[in-house]
Amino acid sequence: MTMMTPPPLDQQEDEEMLVPHQEFTEGPQPMEVISAEPATAPENQQVEDPPTFKYRWTIENFSRMNIKKLYSDTFFVGGYKWRVLIFPKGNNVDHLSIYLDVADSTTLPYGWSRFAQFSLAVVNQIHGKYTIRKDTQHQFNGRESDWGFTSFMSLSELYDPSRGYLVNDTCVIEAEVSVRKVVDYWSYDSKKETGYVGLKNQGATCYMNSLLQTLYHIPYFRKAVYHMPTTENDMPSGSIPLALQSLFYKLQYSDNSVATKELTKSFGWDTYDSFMQHDVQELNRVLCEKLEDKMKGTVVEGTIQHLFEGHHMNYIECINVDYKSTRKESFYDLQLDVKGCRDVYASFDKYVEVERLEGDNKYQAENHGLQDAKKGVLFIDFPPVLQLQLKRFEYDFMRDTMVKINDRYEFPLQLDLDRDNGRYLSPDADRRVRNLYTLHSVLVHSGGVHGGHYYAFIRPTLSDQWFKFDDERVTKEDAKRALEEQYGGEEELPQTNPGFNNTPFKFTKYSNAYMLVYIRESDKEKIMCNVDEKDIAEHLRVRLKKEQEEKEHKKKEKAEAHLYTIIKVARNEDLAEQMGREIFFDLVDHDKVRSFRIQKQLPFNHFKEEVAKELGIPVQFQRFWLWAKRQNHTYRPNRPLLPQEEAQSVGQLREVSNKAHNAELKLFLEVELGPDLRPLPPPLKTKEDILLFFKLYDPEKEAMRFVGRLFVKALGKPTEILPKLIEMAEFPANEEIELYEEIKFEPNVMCEHIDKRISFKSSQLEDGDIICYQKALTSASRDQFRYPDVPSFLEYVRNRQVVHFRSLEKPKEDDFSLELSKLFSYDDVVERVACRLGLDDPTKIRLTSHNCYSQQPKPQPIKYRGVDHLSDMLVHYNQLSQTSDILYYEILDIPLPELQGLKTLKVAFHHATKEEVAIHSIRLPKNSTVADVINDLKNKVELSRPDAELRLLEVFYHKIYKIFPPGEKIENINDQYWTLRAEEIPEEEKNLGPHDRLIHVYHFTRDPNQNQMASIVCLTCPIFSFR
């Protein structure tokens, strides 16, 4: 068995244990070694994991020893040296002190560590059942080389011959030690160690992972999921059955932890949902309901009901007349009380407890009037798989908050629901069915009411071996860890100063079971059935095996990446295909060009042969250029490869050309074509030759495209190549054109006009530079176009932004989209939105930004002219690296500047004599008072009498927190999180005497759908006066 680093002390359980021995007397202590039974394991013996060894130490003349401490002989466990250390007269306490010690701790290398689970015992030589045995576990190291119990048992009990611990002045001590490997978290292999794999946590999905593992390890359920009809055209992210099939298949056959993103996407969750903890019971019910619905009309229809559905009978039986009312209800899980119950049986006792309906609470029986009656619940049948939800969380009305119940609550390995002659069963129950259950899984919550961690202990085959499924990690665990340590309750901290304070400190255990899954013994063979590949649809096997092969291929490529270089080759065809469609700046997107994976040791000339074979370009017609990143962050072809460079290996060439030392080599392939479009040998290039690239802009179509490249002479002038440029653009021969150099685009666009009369060298043009050109426009014709020249068009492209607008009333649905510029002012944006909506007055548009994390509108709208540009509206809380493309809009009834000078409050008016609540929006200037709100409200509501006076209250969760004084300003009143309640002031409260008090009174009802549970539903929270 392989263990991870041991748990913290708050998960360990014995009373006065878990302390390294500490001595308070100075100077050396006498030591005497009493002979012990010889160790049987040689030091270098190879033993299985976990190696366990039981050591027995017999100590004679025990009461006559006048020594402080005593060591046993050394014994070997797991190849390590151990010994037992005792303090016969106590380690400064009136108890026997006993520890397990690393015998060779002083000679071990620095940083040594080993982990052991062990028990220490003082044997009762008269009655073995009274042997005192205590067990613990510890990570032994240089600072804590011994560990055990300072107060193991009282000395008075030990030295009393009649008790049986000292017989003929001989004491017998036993130590049972299991050494476990301490495994590094990152190197731990769940599949290798346990045969199972875990599930990856998306952020806060551990609660879902524990539930999914539990369902997966119910083989009958897994088989039913596999048999749900899906098709090869389905996508897992859009189909819960297929996503669950895929997940279960990977859990069954994968060697590594499995992701759940496809499944959560099939739920309709976004990333934000995955970072929010949901209710496990609700998730279980929703998932089963959706699967149940998808199973209808298929071969597995009814599986969910068959596995999980039970029935109980709610009854009310009159005591004095012959009348009984019953109602049969189904359940998929049972909620059991934890508070006030010591175990599962006590919870079931409480569940079926009979309630007396008498006195003021008599039952209205049909045709019999009010009658004394008995009310309760009995079970008609239990399901084969019984899911018990333990009510660890409940609402505390005294504290007005949710709390977690960490009380100790026991649950048995076997649960007998036929106990006491079937006291839980109704008269209609089939008594031939034996309701004896065995525990399958324990789902645990560790933490408090506001958050924590979830994991599960599961017996996948119902054997004695338990496994802990904790997200990605699966470990073997013993039954004690899965059962007793998940009961909850209190635990004792170890004593840090033995001899000074012997009173142990108790603390609450916050890790405890919240859900139990039991399987009925009589259905065990059917439910724990065999599930293999024949149960999985062929298309699913093919799809998932292909995914696995692709994953393995990528893994292999990654492992061998250091042996290869990726060469990305851009050609004229790539530039022509991408320019004006996918990109506008620079020349090409290298991620979308042809790439070659070449071994580093191969000569570059071998690569050229590969290119000839793949692209059909003979080696003699190929010339490759290296790309270079310039200081202005542009990326351009820099120079052709030299013949001596082409003679090098691919790896050497990459290192020469790539300062970033990544695995890629980026090249531009120059191929000259003749009039017949056949390749020609590359022309001779001298220092006077400059390779330029040309783009053509059409202001009428607002389009730009790549038209070709040319070699020009450094001392030549643009006028010399104008005919060629006109020919490339297919313009008339006499067309006037204008030339611009595209210099850079980050952080701002720089595109400058080129003087055609001066040389290329004087214009500082060099290899790889880009010239954009267009038809020359007259002053009159320029006004016809939005972007008449290259610089204005590139500026537009650099800052354009498609924004998706949504109505604030429907924040999940895109309403329309507009292409805008990030440089647009506030007025520009609202004018275009108003135009799109057909609204004459843009000031009646109010916009709200988008929260990228919650995928919801931000709480506060954008103020009128509160931002300078559109880019400021789209940025996420000043995080320039994260922007959105969504804005929300509202159409106001008055202009926004006017509205911003007003305060709008939503007030709920409760009528004095009618059971109705009306919501009113009160809009007043911000400097108004509560009295102004009340006066405005009086004109809108119906009063019980003309002279009735109103008051305004602040309510949160049905509780009144404040009665507003009439003179309070409304500007700071918050109605976003608090409810504003208006009501008439009762006459009796207007003239309260000095001894009169106002108290809050809650109105509550018992939820009729929840048996024996005082579910308090706060309906209103009025104030009553008492005298």
Side-chain angles (χ1 to χ4, degrees):
M1 172 173 170
T2 302
M3 291 293 295
M4 305 303 295
T5 302
L9 293 178
D10 63 358
Q11 293 181 18
Q12 302 173 349
E13 196 162 322
D14 278 307
E15 53 271 25
E16 356 55 68
M17 68 176 194
L18 306 178
V19 287
H21 91 263
Q22 301 176 31
E23 301 176 62
F24 303 99
T25 55
E26 297 182 358
Q29 300 296 311
M31 182 182 75
E32 179 182 346
V33 177
I34 306 297
S35 62
E37 294 180 6
T40 58
E43 186 169 2
N44 61 352
Q45 179 178 334
Q46 295 298 315
V47 291
E48 294 182 359
D49 184 29
T52 300
F53 180 69
K54 193 169 185 177
Y55 175 76
R56 189 177 178 93
W57 182 18
T58 302
I59 309 171
E60 298 176 350
N61 303 317
F62 191 86
S63 63
R64 292 197 291 270
M65 288 190 298
N66 186 24
I67 55 174
K68 174 71 174 177
K69 61 183 180 180
L70 182 67
Y71 287 101
S72 73
D73 277 352
T74 299
F75 55 93
F76 297 87
V77 186
Y80 299 133
K81 294 181 180 181
W82 305 90
R83 59 186 176 180
V84 177
L85 166 63
I86 67 168
F87 288 73
K89 300 296 190 291
N91 184 8
N92 296 295
V93 293
D94 57 357
H95 285 67
L96 174 69
S97 303
I98 181 169
Y99 309 91
L100 180 67
D101 178 62
V102 177
D104 55 348
S105 61
T106 57
T107 62
L108 292 175
Y110 177 80
W112 68 272
S113 175
R114 66 186 62 162
F115 178 69
Q117 288 183 318
F118 60 95
S119 67
L120 298 170
V122 176
V123 177
N124 191 298
Q125 300 167 57
I126 299 175
H127 300 289
K129 65 179 181 179
Y130 296 126
T131 293
I132 298 176
R133 186 180 307 277
K134 297 185 180 182
D135 59 326
T136 184
Q137 56 190 23
H138 183 58
Q139 178 82 40
F140 292 86
N141 53 56
R143 296 182 62 185
E144 294 179 344
S145 60
D146 53 53
W147 196 257
F149 308 86
T150 299
S151 301
F152 185 83
M153 64 181 296
S154 69
L155 294 178
S156 60
E157 185 178 12
L158 173 65
Y159 284 94
D160 184 348
S162 65
R163 295 296 186 95
Y165 300 105
L166 271 185
V167 176
N168 298 324
D169 206 19
T170 298
C171 181
V172 179
I173 292 175
E174 289 183 347
E176 187 169 357
V177 183
S178 293
V179 176
R180 310 295 176 93
K181 286 190 286 187
V182 180
V183 181
D184 176 54
Y185 179 89
W186 302 108
S187 65
Y188 183 76
D189 188 333
S190 292
K191 184 81 168 187
K192 180 180 177 183
E193 299 293 341
T194 67
Y196 301 102
V197 297
L199 292 169
K200 294 178 181 177
N201 192 329
Q202 293 186 47
T205 56
C206 52
Y207 69 96
M208 180 183 71
N209 290 349
S210 60
L211 176 64
L212 290 173
Q213 289 281 16
T214 301
L215 293 173
Y216 167 80
H217 287 291
I218 301 174
Y220 192 93
F221 179 84
R222 190 192 330 160
K223 187 188 282 270
V225 168
Y226 283 152
H227 282 271
M228 293 178 69
T230 54
T231 70
E232 57 189 11
N233 297 322
D234 291 343
M235 293 302 295
S237 59
S239 166
I240 290 178
L242 182 58
L244 203 55
Q245 288 174 346
S246 173
L247 184 80
F248 282 3
Y249 181 89
K250 291 172 183 175
L251 281 175
Q252 190 162 349
Y253 294 106
S254 176
D255 292 330
N256 305 107
S257 57
V258 180
T260 57
K261 283 188 177 179
E262 283 185 342
L263 182 64
T264 55
K265 282 183 180 177
S266 73
F267 293 165
W269 291 1
D270 53 26
T271 306
Y272 179 73
D273 289 309
S274 298
F275 281 89
M276 296 293 289
Q277 284 192 351
H278 297 253
D279 179 69
V280 179
Q281 183 184 14
E282 184 65 20
L283 174 65
N284 190 19
R285 288 182 178 177
V286 170
L287 180 59
C288 287
E289 283 174 8
K290 288 184 179 292
L291 291 176
E292 189 177 348
D293 184 58
K294 297 288 185 182
M295 289 177 176
K296 288 179 180 176
T298 73
V299 293
V300 289
E301 182 175 0
T303 298
I304 300 296
Q305 297 98 312
H306 174 71
L307 278 178
F308 304 115
E309 187 178 49
H311 299 88
H312 53 53
M313 176 187 73
N314 292 288
Y315 68 87
I316 299 178
E317 184 176 5
C318 293
I319 297 172
N320 301 316
V321 297
D322 185 17
Y323 181 85
K324 185 175 183 179
S325 169
T326 62
R327 185 176 73 254
K328 180 180 178 180
E329 292 183 352
S330 64
F331 63 87
Y332 281 6
D333 54 46
L334 292 173
Q335 290 195 53
L336 299 184
D337 282 337
V338 170
K339 195 169 186 178
C341 300
R342 69 176 300 275
D343 59 16
V344 171
Y345 289 121
S347 295
F348 269 99
D349 291 344
K350 190 173 181 180
Y351 205 97
V352 300
E353 196 173 59
V354 176
E355 179 185 358
R356 303 276 298 194
L357 304 179
E358 54 192 9
D360 293 337
N361 196 29
K362 286 186 178 183
Y363 174 62
Q364 180 71 45
E366 189 176 348
N367 299 326
H368 295 284
L370 292 173
Q371 293 289 330
D372 291 339
K374 297 183 295 183
K375 177 183 177 183
V377 174
L378 289 172
F379 290 93
I380 299 170
D381 57 64
F382 291 104
V385 179
L386 181 63
Q387 300 181 108
L388 304 179
Q389 301 282 346
L390 308 184
K391 293 170 64 180
R392 288 283 182 187
F393 300 94
E394 67 176 34
Y395 188 76
D396 187 326
F397 288 95
M398 297 299 291
R399 288 186 275 175
D400 193 22
T401 186
M402 290 294 293
V403 294
K404 184 182 179 187
I405 308 299
N406 291 297
D407 299 353
R408 182 177 175 86
Y409 182 87
E410 299 177 8
F411 44 90
L413 191 62
Q414 277 206 323
L415 179 67
D416 187 357
L417 294 179
D418 290 332
R419 67 194 288 257
D420 294 345
N421 198 29
R423 62 172 301 184
Y424 306 134
L425 301 177
S426 74
D428 300 332
D430 185 352
R431 302 293 175 124
R432 294 171 299 175
V433 177
R434 181 73 174 95
N435 292 302
L436 180 64
Y437 288 83
T438 188
L439 185 60
H440 173 265
S441 46
V442 179
L443 281 71
V444 177
H445 176 262
S446 177
V449 69
H450 298 297
H453 184 54
Y454 294 84
Y455 48 90
F457 292 93
I458 302 174
R459 289 195 297 166
T461 62
L462 296 182
S463 67
D464 292 337
Q465 182 61 64
W466 286 87
F467 295 87
K468 180 182 179 182
F469 293 83
D470 189 353
D471 287 339
E472 297 184 39
R473 187 172 59 181
V474 186
T475 53
K476 291 182 179 179
E477 301 291 348
D478 57 31
K480 182 179 178 183
R481 291 274 289 162
L483 278 70
E484 295 174 37
E485 295 190 16
Q486 309 313 322
Y487 289 165
E490 292 186 328
E491 193 169 12
E492 295 180 5
L493 274 177
Q495 297 163 261
T496 55
N497 293 307
F500 289 98
N501 180 9
N502 294 322
T503 304
F505 175 75
K506 292 187 177 182
F507 66 98
T508 302
K509 292 176 68 175
Y510 290 97
S511 296
N512 36 55
Y514 73 94
M515 179 175 168
L516 307 171
V517 178
Y518 283 90
I519 292 178
R520 189 157 51 201
E521 284 282 351
S522 58
D523 296 298
K524 189 164 63 174
E525 287 189 17
K526 181 170 63 175
I527 291 171
M528 307 305 289
C529 57
N530 185 48
V531 183
D532 51 33
E533 282 213 350
K534 68 177 182 293
D535 292 302
I536 304 167
E538 176 68 21
H539 76 86
L540 184 64
R541 291 204 303 269
V542 171
R543 178 200 293 242
L544 295 175
K545 283 183 178 177
K546 185 178 179 182
E547 282 182 15
Q548 187 63 28
E549 288 170 1
E550 289 175 356
K551 187 176 179 181
E552 291 297 327
H553 180 67
K554 288 180 180 178
K555 186 178 179 180
K556 183 181 177 183
E557 281 192 348
K558 188 176 181 180
E560 297 176 350
H562 65 288
L563 302 175
Y564 291 84
T565 291
I566 303 298
I567 302 180
K568 294 186 173 181
V569 178
R571 300 182 293 156
N572 262 28
E573 290 87 342
D574 297 309
L575 276 61
E577 183 179 340
Q578 293 184 23
M579 185 56 57
R581 296 181 181 89
E582 300 172 5
I583 64 168
F584 289 87
F585 299 99
D586 268 351
L587 292 171
V588 73
D589 180 351
H590 291 275
D591 290 334
K592 297 178 180 178
V593 303
R594 183 73 169 82
S595 64
F596 299 81
R597 188 169 182 258
I598 306 295
Q599 290 188 357
K600 289 181 179 179
Q601 71 268 27
L602 280 180
F604 187 79
N605 285 322
H606 283 219
F607 163 68
K608 294 179 72 172
E609 293 173 3
E610 182 75 16
V611 172
K613 185 167 61 174
E614 289 286 327
L615 302 180
I617 302 168
V619 170
Q620 66 269 26
F621 301 140
Q622 301 173 16
R623 178 155 67 187
F624 288 94
W625 289 65
L626 290 171
W627 292 78
K629 188 172 185 178
R630 298 180 175 179
Q631 288 184 339
N632 62 9
H633 303 295
T634 58
Y635 210 59
R636 308 286 175 80
N638 184 43
R639 64 174 179 84
L641 288 175
L642 303 174
Q644 56 267 37
E645 290 176 324
E646 293 193 356
Q648 294 178 337
S649 70
V650 168
Q652 289 173 316
L653 187 59
R654 181 194 64 81
E655 293 190 14
V656 169
S657 66
N658 193 342
K659 293 180 181 178
H661 297 294
N662 59 33
E664 292 183 355
L665 173 62
K666 295 173 183 174
L667 300 173
F668 174 71
L669 174 57
E670 174 199 346
V671 180
E672 295 297 326
L673 299 177
D676 58 356
L677 300 181
R678 295 195 176 196
L680 300 173
L684 179 68
K685 183 185 182 311
T686 67
K687 291 183 179 179
E688 293 299 313
D689 295 311
I690 301 174
L691 178 63
L692 298 177
F693 294 83
F694 294 89
K695 300 177 185 179
L696 177 67
Y697 174 57
D698 183 344
E700 184 175 352
K701 297 179 179 178
E702 294 182 3
M704 181 176 280
R705 62 187 176 94
F706 175 76
V707 289
R709 52 180 171 75
L710 292 174
F711 280 104
V712 299
K713 296 296 181 180
L715 298 177
K717 298 178 181 178
T719 51
E720 299 169 7
I721 62 168
L722 291 181
K724 182 63 177 174
L725 295 181
I726 290 171
E727 178 188 337
M728 290 163 63
E730 299 179 348
F731 288 162
N734 60 348
E735 187 73 59
E736 287 287 325
I737 59 175
E738 296 293 336
L739 276 59
Y740 301 86
E741 182 191 359
E742 179 190 317
I743 300 173
K744 67 171 187 172
F745 55 91
E746 291 288 355
N748 301 307
V749 172
M750 182 179 289
C751 183
E752 296 182 348
H753 187 268
I754 295 176
D755 189 338
K756 291 177 283 190
R757 297 167 298 176
I758 63 174
S759 69
F760 292 106
K761 186 175 181 179
S762 299
S763 295
Q764 299 183 335
L765 292 168
E766 58 185 29
D767 282 328
D769 278 345
I770 300 171
I771 292 179
C772 305
Y773 67 99
Q774 66 176 91
K775 291 180 181 179
L777 299 177
T778 63
S779 299
S781 61
R782 289 178 66 87
D783 296 336
Q784 300 175 17
F785 307 112
R786 286 200 309 167
Y787 309 107
D789 53 31
V790 172
S792 62
F793 175 72
L794 291 180
E795 189 74 41
Y796 154 70
V797 170
R798 174 69 180 80
N799 293 294
R800 69 180 172 182
Q801 171 74 55
V802 175
V803 181
H804 303 279
F805 287 89
R806 300 175 178 179
S807 169
L808 196 63
E809 295 177 352
K810 298 178 180 179
K812 289 287 187 181
E813 303 173 15
D814 284 354
D815 195 355
F816 59 88
S817 299
L818 293 177
E819 185 181 279
L820 308 172
S821 169
K822 294 177 185 175
L823 301 179
F824 273 7
S825 67
Y826 175 90
D827 288 348
D828 293 332
V829 175
V830 294
E831 281 174 12
R832 280 161 176 76
V833 173
C835 181
R836 174 65 176 76
L837 295 171
L839 194 66
D840 294 332
D841 187 355
T843 63
K844 290 186 177 180
I845 295 292
R846 180 162 67 176
L847 301 175
T848 301
S849 295
H850 179 71
N851 186 318
C852 298
Y853 293 145
S854 67
Q855 299 296 311
Q856 296 288 334
K858 289 183 181 178
Q860 300 299 326
I862 299 170
K863 292 184 177 180
Y864 178 71
R865 293 179 178 170
V867 295
D868 293 329
H869 301 104
L870 172 65
S871 56
D872 301 317
M873 300 181 188
L874 302 177
V875 73
H876 184 76
Y877 292 115
N878 297 323
Q879 296 180 20
L880 298 178
S881 61
Q882 188 166 15
T883 59
S884 165
D885 61 355
I886 297 170
L887 285 175
Y888 304 87
Y889 72 89
E890 301 168 83
I891 301 176
L892 306 174
D893 55 349
I894 61 173
L896 181 56
E898 182 181 337
L899 178 64
Q900 287 181 179
L902 303 175
K903 175 79 172 181
T904 302
L905 297 175
K906 286 185 178 179
V907 179
F909 177 71
H910 292 251
H911 198 277
T913 58
K914 300 177 183 178
E915 290 188 6
E916 62 180 42
V917 178
I919 307 297
H920 295 274
S921 289
I922 308 298
R923 185 183 289 164
L924 295 169
K926 289 182 178 179
N927 59 357
S928 301
T929 63
V930 170
D932 297 324
V933 174
I934 291 172
N935 290 333
D936 189 86
L937 190 63
K938 283 182 177 180
N939 298 323
K940 298 180 177 181
V941 301
E942 177 188 350
L943 301 175
S944 63
R945 57 185 186 282
D947 62 339
E949 296 181 27
L950 300 182
R951 63 183 172 195
L952 190 66
L953 307 96
E954 189 176 64
V955 178
F956 185 67
Y957 274 101
H958 312 286
K959 183 177 180 180
I960 295 170
Y961 279 83
K962 183 177 182 179
I963 300 175
F964 290 101
E968 182 167 338
K969 298 285 187 182
I970 67 170
E971 186 171 3
N972 297 323
I973 295 179
N974 185 349
D975 65 344
Q976 186 173 359
Y977 303 108
W978 304 80
T979 299
L980 298 181
R981 171 190 173 115
E983 63 184 20
E984 295 183 19
I985 303 175
E987 287 296 319
E988 62 187 24
E989 294 184 24
K990 292 181 181 179
N991 301 304
L992 292 178
H995 300 294
D996 296 329
R997 293 290 183 270
L998 294 179
I999 66 168
H1000 292 268
V1001 178
Y1002 282 87
H1003 178 197
F1004 70 91
T1005 61
R1006 184 190 296 265
D1007 186 344
N1009 295 320
Q1010 295 292 335
N1011 177 61
Q1012 300 294 330
M1013 299 177 190
S1015 293
I1016 309 302
V1017 182
C1018 298
L1019 300 177
T1020 58
C1021 186
I1023 297 179
F1024 290 95
S1025 62
F1026 286 81
R1027 292 180 170 85

